[in-house]
Amino acid sequence: MNPTQTTLLELRDAIAAKKISAKQAVTAYLDRIDQHNNTLNAYHETYADRALQRAQDVDADKVTGPLAGVPIAIKDNLATDWGVTTCSSKILENFRSPYTATAVAKLEAAGAVILGKTNLDEFAMGSSTENSAFGPTRNPWDTHRVPGGSSGGAAAAMAADLCAGSIGSDTGGSIRQPAALCGVVGFKPTYGRVSRFGLVAFASSLDQIGPLTRTVSDAALMLSVISGPDERDSTCASQQPRDYLAEVDQPVSGLRIGVAKQYISDTNDPAVNQAVDEAINMFRSCGAQIVEIDLPHTQYGIPTYYLVATAEASSNLARYDGVRYGRRCDDPKDLIDLYSRSRAEGFGEEIKRRIMLGTYALSSGYYDAYYVRALKVRRLIKRDFDLAFSSCDAILCPTTTAPAFRLGEKSDDPLSMYMNDVYTVNANLAGIPGISLPGGFTTVTHNGTPPQKLPLGIQLLGPVFEETKLLRIARMYESATTHHQVRPSL
Ligand code: GLN
């Protein structure tokens, strides 16, 4: 077996059956990273010695668990008490965390081998991974294109088989959108399903950690491992984790799939609408009932999200003051100079833009008009979903409006970059779970370049804490299609 051309589950089982050693598996992935990471820039940092030592411990049965020996990548906004935790920002360039994120600790307790940390848009703000202080990540399907963001490194590493599974974070689509653009599965759990302890905060009421994988079953297994209560995160739900994998292969009977007109727009790339149509037909042929639903406040998602997220970000990022964490400017004249120069030098352009937007929305005189109003609209968006789920089990829609765009194409146009999230942000505002699945391919050409095959994503959204059902529905789609089996040629 080639350990880098398999699924997480198959690899896990092969290691457990000692058909392949964990050391062989980890070595194969490290070699592949050596071969391709220069081009893709998916990883910032790898921990070869640490990973090989852990693999040996698995082979010696000193480390056991449901992910024993499985090579995993983690997004570099998850704190680890080894290596650096940079958030792809100059302000945290050399930051060493004194503690480890709960999700990462749970992965290791389950026997996973952490290969390294993946690139992201600085502080997870962006949709292309071009906002990284360490250079952009490239899409393995076409290296002139972005992998999406902000978990672009996680998605590219997954798509290029530089890990068997990876972990990202999703505040407004950062797991699902890059998963769609890179042709892998990306799952954002219900807000509160996974502890945020050790996830560097961007927008605390929206942030959620989740897996990016090759298959739905792989996502189910990883979710079981990382979810569950945590007394160090007061927003983490008290529900015990479930064995999602055990149930994932059970089709949902009497399934009702909701489709909302607000998500099928003429402005979508036609291939995206076609992928959704094909998914509708597939569910119909499985016996599902397709129900038309209405999500009337959908169009307010982007402005609402960009007010709530920037307001929370401006507050969360106040802690980077040159005193407590990370970068500190040279020879400050006084305290104000220390604050302002440390922040001016450390933060990138997009971060500064968001701090200004958020500070404005929270400032006296504007607070009611912007922030409070956004919170009210957020409730309406949540209510749209609550009503919709009274008549369907899951909502089917695109993940993105189009396949991966070219590097640099939207860098000078923040608004068009923000519009990328039009189909993903509402799930975060409502706190509901969502999954992006490989939904097919389209062929594109650019200025006479040879035609390029690019993946498309379809998205399923479910009611809060209905992960089991959502994964089962996703698995029904996956088992009727072969898109997830196609890999980019590197
Ligand atoms: N692209 C969105 C943003 O820039 C979402 C980011 C995320 O989910 N972390 O805010």
Side-chain angles (χ1 to χ4, degrees), residues 262-285:
Q262 288 87 354
Y263 282 76
I264 311 294
S265 154
D266 293 345
T267 54
N268 290 350
D269 186 299
V272 167
N273 287 341
Q274 198 190 326
V276 174
D277 281 344
E278 282 168 13
I280 292 174
N281 290 335
M282 191 288 299
F283 277 115
R284 223 182 241 126
S285 68

Side-chain angles (χ1 to χ4, degrees), residues 316-327:
N316 274 325
L317 271 59
R319 60 171 64 102
Y320 304 100
D321 54 8
V323 178
R324 288 169 290 183
Y325 307 90
R327 192 184 185 95

